[in-house]
């Protein structure tokens, strides 16, 4: 595996689950609101904005953690939805965020982004499998 694929795989290992968490309200209630769990909204935000990407400027991560322009556009849209929800939750707690009107848009955009990311990852896996098969033939 070349270096670029390793870098992409390492970033995706964190980005895709973070996006999936934002798209899954039952997970949010069961995990983020449980004080004994390690994951909360702050953890997900750090993953998307600080640790493995910059959702405010996602174009810089195309080819590093993001596979397509569509992912870039959806991550930018997710950033906007999160900003609206944060403005509606002045206390900023996870419980408050999950109750604001704008949270439904966060979940919807994250769901679209998750679908695109998983589809792109499956396409990459298929391409690697086909390339391996062609090399062995």
């Amino acid at each position: 595996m070349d270096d670029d694929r390793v870098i992409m795989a390492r970033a995706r290992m964190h980005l895709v689950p973070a996006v999936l968490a934002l798209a899954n309200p039952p997970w949010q209630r069961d995990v983020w609101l449980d004080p004994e769990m390690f994951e909360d909204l702050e953890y997900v935000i750090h993953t998307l904005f600080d640790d493995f990407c910059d959702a405010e400027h996602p174009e810089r991560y195309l080819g590093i953690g993001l596979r397509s322009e569509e992912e870039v556009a959806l991550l930018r849209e997710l950033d906007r939805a999160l900003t609206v929800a944060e403005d509606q939750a002045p206390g900023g707690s996870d419980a408050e965020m999950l109750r604001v009107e704008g949270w439904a848009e966060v979940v919807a955009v994250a769901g679209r982004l998750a679908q695109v990311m998983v589809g792109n990852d499956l396409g990459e896996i298929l391409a690697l499998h086909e390339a391996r098969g062609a090399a062995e033939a």
Side-chain angles (χ1 to χ4, degrees), residues 33-110:
L33 301 182
D34 183 342
E36 295 185 22
M37 300 299 275
F38 76 95
E39 182 184 302
D40 57 12
L41 178 57
E42 183 178 354
Y43 174 85
V44 170
I45 296 296
H46 278 294
T47 299
L48 294 175
F49 287 84
D50 303 320
D51 298 339
F52 297 96
C53 196
D54 179 357
E56 291 178 6
H57 307 284
E59 60 281 349
R60 296 187 298 187
Y61 289 84
L62 184 59
I64 299 170
L66 303 174
R67 292 193 189 280
S68 69
E69 290 288 344
E70 185 177 17
E71 289 182 7
V72 169
L74 285 167
L75 193 55
R76 191 176 292 113
E77 190 177 336
L78 181 58
D79 173 52
R80 287 191 297 270
L82 280 164
T83 299
V84 168
E86 287 170 348
D87 289 346
Q88 296 172 351
S93 73
D94 289 2
E96 183 181 14
M97 287 288 288
L98 299 181
R99 288 191 307 265
V100 299
E101 183 180 328
W103 193 254
E105 182 66 11
V106 171
V107 171
V109 174

